[in-house]
C-alpha cells in the first residue's frame, strides 16, 4: 500500500491549529475532590510554559486561551511577550460571570440593572485584556438559568440577554469577535438561558457579522447528532469556534476523541466539507478540557494528536465516490466509502510526516523522555497551585 496522505492532504493538515486552554494545566477535579499534582503551574506564566511544550512537540497548538480573571496579571503586554518568546500566542479570552454572589440569579440576564451593568463591564475589562494580548475572540459562556418551573421569566431573561450582548458587541474593535457558547444544562437544571445552537444563533444573528456561535462538543444531550449542527452553523456562516472535549455522561471535559473517536471523525468530516480548514476559514478550534487524574501536558498532547488523526482520516474520504453513491441512492456504497476512511490507520504516516518537519515522530514519547515533567515538579515547589477557578 502506497502513501495515503497525499501532498494535498498534508497541506491541509499543515494549516491545522488547535488552541489550548490555560485551565487545562491547572489542577481540576469534581465537586468531590481536586487532586494536587507535583509541577502544577502556580501562575499564568507557568501555564503558558506548559502549553508551549505541547506546541513545541506537536506543531499543532500555537495559541493559548486565557480565562479572566483566573489568568489575571499586572501586565498583559509582558505576558504576551513571554508567550511569544516561547513560540506561542495568546488566544481567546473567556469571560467569567459565574463565581460571584451577585450572579446567583443571573448576570447578563439578571432582573437588576446594576448586576447586569456589572456583568457587562466585566466583559469590557475582557476586551481591554484582548486589546493588550492581541486576542481575536471574546468567548462568552453563561452559567445562567433557573432550577424550578415558575422561578424565572424566561422571555424577559432572553430580552435582557440580547440587550446586554448588544452593549458588549458594540465595544469590540473591527478585528475582534464575540463567540457565544451554548450548553443544555448545568449549573442550572430546569432551564438554561443559552441552552442550544438555535438560541445562540438567534442571539448572535441579532448582533452582527462578528458575532458567532461556539460549539462545545460536550454541551449536548446524549445521542445528539453534533455533526448536523456543525453543518447547519457553517451553512448559516455562524460557526465561530469549537471547544473540543469528550463526554460519557455530562460535561465531562475528557480528552477529545477518547470517548468516541468516530464522532470526532464525523465532526471533522463536516468541518472539512464546509471549508472549515481552508485558508480563509473563520472557525477557531480550541480544546476545553480538564485533566483530573492523568498528566496534564501529556493529556493535552494526546488531545491535539487525536484531532489531527481524525482530521487526516476525514480527509481520506473519497468525496467523489461518496457523491456518486449519494446521488444514486447507493446506501451501502456510501457507507462503505465513509467507513473505509474512518478505519484507515494513519498514525505511522503522520509520524513520518512529523519527522520530516523536524518534529518528534512520537510527541508523547518525546515529552516523557524530555525530563520536563521532572523539572517542573522539582522547580515548582511552594506557592499555590493554580486550578479550575484560579
Ligand atoms: C463550563 O461548562 C465550561 O466548561 C464552558 O464550556 C466554558 O467554555 C468553560 O467552562 C470555560 O469558561
Ligand atoms: Mn466550553
Amino acid at each position: 500500500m502506497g502513501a495515503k496522505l497525499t501532498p494535498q492532504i498534508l497541506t491541509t493538515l499543515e494549516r491545522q491549529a488547535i488552541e489550548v486552554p490555560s485551565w487545562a494545566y491547572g489542577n481540576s477535579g469534581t465537586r468531590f475532590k481536586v487532586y494536587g499534582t507535583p509541577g502544577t503551574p502556580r501562575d499564568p506564566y507557568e501555564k503558558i510554559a506548559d502549553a508551549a511544550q505541547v506546541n513545541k512537540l506537536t506543531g499543532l497548538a500555537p495559541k493559548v486561551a486565557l480565562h479572566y480573571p483566573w489568568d489575571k496579571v499586572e501586565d498583559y503586554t509582558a505576558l504576551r511577550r513571554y508567550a511569544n518568546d516561547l513560540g506561542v500566542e495568546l488566544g481567546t479570552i473567556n469571560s467569567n460571570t459565574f463565581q460571584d454572589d451577585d450572579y446567583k440569579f443571573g448576570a447578563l440576564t439578571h432582573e437588576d440593572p446594576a448586576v447586569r451593568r456589572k456583568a457587562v463591564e466585566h466583559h469590557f475589562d475582557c476586551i481591554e485584556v484582548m486589546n493588550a494580548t492581541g486576542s481575536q475572540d471574546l468567548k462568552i459562556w453563561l452559567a445562567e438559568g433557573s432550577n424550578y418551573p415558575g422561578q424565572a421569566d424566561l422571555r424577559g431573561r432572553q430580552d435582557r440577554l440580547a440587550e446586554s450582548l448588544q452593549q458588549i458587541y458594540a465595544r469590540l474593535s473591527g478585528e475582534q469577535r464575540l463567540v457565544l457558547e451554548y450548553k443544555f444544562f448545568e449549573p442550572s437544571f430546569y432551564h438554561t438561558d443559552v441552552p442550544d445552537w438555535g438560541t445562540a444563533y438567534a442571539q448572535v444573528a441579532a448582533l452582527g457579522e462578528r458575532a458567532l456561535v461556539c460549539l462545545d462538543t460536550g454541551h449536548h444531550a446524549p445521542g445528539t447528532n453534533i455533526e448536523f449542527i456543525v453543518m447547519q452553523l457553517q451553512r448559516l456562516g455562524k460557526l465561530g469556534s469549537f471547544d473540543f472535549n469528550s463526554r460519557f455522561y455530562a460535561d465531562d471535559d475528557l480528552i477529545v476523541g477518547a470517548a468516541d473517536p468516530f464522532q470526532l471523525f464525523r465532526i471533522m468530516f463536516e468541518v472539512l466539507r464546509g471549508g472549515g480548514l481552508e485558508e480563509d476559514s473563520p472557525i477557531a478550534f480550541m480544546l476545553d478540557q480538564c485533566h483530573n487524574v492523568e498528566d496534564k501536558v501529556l493529556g493535552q498532547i494526546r488531545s491535539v494528536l487525536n484531532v489531527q488523526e481524525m482530521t487526516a482520516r476525514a480527509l481520506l474520504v473519497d468525496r467523489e465516490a461518496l457523491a456518486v453513491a449519494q446521488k444514486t441512492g447507493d446506501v451501502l456504497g456510501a457507507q462503505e466509502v465513509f467507513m473505509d476512511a474512518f478505519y484507515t490507520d494513519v498514525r505511522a504516516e503522520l509520524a513520518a510526516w512529523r519527522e520530516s518537519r523536524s518534529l518528534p515522530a512520537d510527541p508523547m514519547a518525546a515529552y516523557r523522555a524530555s525530563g520536563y515533567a521532572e523539572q517542573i515538579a522539582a522547580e515548582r515547589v511552594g506557592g499555590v497551585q493554580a486550578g479550575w477557578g484560579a
Side-chain angles (χ1 to χ4, degrees):
M1 282 262 276
K4 295 176 276 280
L5 301 179
T6 60
Q8 202 190 351
I9 289 180
L10 294 176
T11 306
T12 305
L13 287 177
E14 202 150 359
R15 269 202 293 275
Q16 188 155 45
I18 304 148
E19 197 168 319
V20 292
S22 69
W23 54 97
Y25 304 90
N27 288 327
S28 59
T30 63
R31 68 186 198 277
F32 300 100
K33 172 72 182 161
V34 172
Y35 297 102
T37 312
T40 294
R42 296 160 300 177
D43 59 36
Y45 284 87
E46 291 180 349
K47 292 181 199 174
I48 288 168
D50 289 1
Q53 290 294 311
V54 178
N55 190 47
K56 184 177 145 201
L57 297 172
T58 64
L60 278 169
K63 285 189 188 174
V64 190
L66 300 180
H67 213 292
Y68 187 78
W70 297 347
D71 294 316
K72 193 168 188 169
V73 292
E74 281 297 303
D75 183 350
Y76 280 97
T77 313
L79 189 69
R80 181 182 189 176
R81 209 174 312 117
Y82 177 78
N84 294 166
D85 288 347
L86 292 176
V88 292
E89 282 175 41
L90 300 179
T92 305
I93 301 298
N94 291 257
S95 64
N96 182 333
T97 51
F98 50 86
Q99 287 183 309
D100 200 304
D101 282 344
D102 283 341
Y103 299 142
K104 185 171 173 180
F105 296 123
L108 297 181
T109 59
H110 203 286
E111 294 270 359
D112 181 348
V115 176
R116 292 205 299 279
R117 186 75 210 152
K118 173 177 164 169
V120 167
E121 277 171 8
H122 165 71
H123 288 86
F124 291 169
D125 293 345
C126 289
I127 295 169
E128 283 301 311
V129 172
M130 292 167 73
N131 294 339
T133 54
S135 304
Q136 175 193 239
D137 287 353
L138 171 64
K139 185 162 89 187
I140 306 182
W141 169 71
L142 300 167
E144 308 187 29
S146 65
N147 273 359
Y148 298 99
Q151 181 192 327
D153 166 8
L154 305 183
R155 165 71 190 261
R157 293 174 72 89
Q158 215 45 223
D159 294 341
R160 292 191 288 275
L161 175 61
E163 204 185 288
S164 301
L165 288 174
Q166 180 56 55
Q167 292 172 38
I168 297 166
Y169 185 72
R171 209 24 113 93
L172 295 173
S173 77
E175 276 84 57
Q176 294 168 341
R177 314 189 306 175
L178 181 159
V179 286
L180 182 62
E181 178 176 353
Y182 60 93
K183 179 175 178 178
F184 75 123
F185 88 110
E186 200 201 24
S188 297
F189 298 115
Y190 167 59
H191 106 274
T192 292
D193 290 306
V194 189
D196 49 34
W197 75 266
T199 305
Y201 174 78
Q203 287 287 351
V204 299
L207 294 175
E209 253 185 32
R210 284 172 297 103
L212 301 146
V213 177
C214 169
L215 187 159
D216 183 314
T217 49
H219 289 188
H220 305 85
T224 300
N225 182 338
I226 297 176
E227 56 273 26
F228 181 86
I229 301 171
V230 171
M231 174 282 295
Q232 188 67 287
L233 284 171
Q234 272 188 299
R235 181 176 165 269
L236 296 166
K238 282 291 183 192
L239 182 54
S241 64
F242 275 98
D243 272 7
F244 280 132
N245 51 53
S246 64
R247 72 191 290 276
F248 287 104
Y249 298 104
D251 185 24
D252 303 350
D253 283 345
L254 298 175
I255 289 173
V256 58
D260 186 352
F262 184 41
Q263 181 189 60
L264 179 56
F265 167 84
R266 300 190 314 260
I267 289 172
M268 290 317 299
F269 176 71
E270 276 314 320
V271 166
L272 290 164
R273 235 169 41 104
L277 276 188
E278 275 159 31
E279 232 143 358
D280 56 351
S281 163
I283 304 174
F285 298 88
M286 213 190 97
L287 303 179
D288 177 12
Q289 297 180 180
C290 291
H291 304 290
N292 300 352
V293 295
E294 68 276 25
D295 183 277
K296 298 167 201 318
V297 178
L298 276 176
Q300 291 280 288
I301 294 174
R302 180 72 271 152
S303 305
V304 295
L305 293 176
N306 284 356
V307 177
Q308 186 183 49
E309 280 169 25
M310 288 306 138
T311 306
R313 292 193 195 195
L315 281 160
L316 287 174
V317 173
D318 183 341
R319 300 246 287 266
E320 271 172 40
L322 188 65
V324 171
Q326 288 174 347
K327 278 193 175 67
T328 56
D330 183 359
V331 177
L332 295 179
Q335 240 261 309
E336 271 164 32
V337 171
F338 206 69
M339 298 312 285
D340 271 354
F342 173 63
Y343 283 121
T344 308
D345 189 349
V346 290
R347 287 174 298 180
E349 268 195 70
L350 285 175
W353 178 59
R354 257 180 230 117
E355 266 189 322
S356 75
R357 296 162 66 227
S358 308
L359 290 165
D362 181 346
M364 298 287 282
Y367 180 76
R368 288 188 179 105
S370 72
Y372 184 83
E374 293 75 15
Q375 184 196 321
I376 57 174
E379 281 173 11
R380 297 176 186 170
V381 176
V384 180
Q385 296 196 329
W388 174 257

